[in-house]
Amino acid sequence: MSLDEAARQLKMAAHDAQVSFDCVGLGDLARAQEHAVTLRAAADAALTALGRALEDLSPQEARSAGEDAVTALAEDG
């Protein structure tokens, strides 16, 4: 897994967290729970990717790959 994937998963988790929060406010607890489950899966995937990056990348490589990942996501969004 790459930092691109970690960034993508973190962005998905953040989105699911916001949707889950909004659903709680609307009283739609089933949908809130569904999004909480998917945010947890995305966060777990990001954690796995970040752990791998810690093992595989030097700090300089991580900085460059991280900047590239965030820039790519910003351009896609």
Side-chain angles (χ1 to χ4, degrees), residues 14-26 28-29 31-37 39:
H15 170 73
D16 280 322
Q18 184 63 55
V19 172
S20 183
F21 177 84
D22 292 344
C23 289
V24 168
L26 295 171
D28 190 349
L29 300 184
R31 190 163 172 225
Q33 183 182 30
E34 177 183 319
H35 283 279
V37 168
L39 89 85

Side-chain angles (χ1 to χ4, degrees), residues 2-76:
S2 66
L3 287 182
D4 291 331
E5 183 62 15
R8 190 179 75 78
Q9 292 292 337
L10 287 169
K11 192 168 187 170
M12 288 173 37
H15 170 73
D16 280 322
Q18 184 63 55
V19 172
S20 183
F21 177 84
D22 292 344
C23 289
V24 168
L26 295 171
D28 190 349
L29 300 184
R31 190 163 172 225
Q33 183 182 30
E34 177 183 319
H35 283 279
V37 168
T38 58
L39 89 85
R40 186 175 180 178
D44 286 346
L47 184 58
T48 299
L50 290 170
R52 185 59 188 240
L54 277 169
E55 294 174 5
D56 294 346
L57 301 176
S58 71
Q60 295 80 14
E61 291 170 326
R63 186 175 301 111
S64 177
E67 289 174 1
D68 291 346
V70 170
T71 299
L73 277 176
E75 289 172 357
D76 290 343

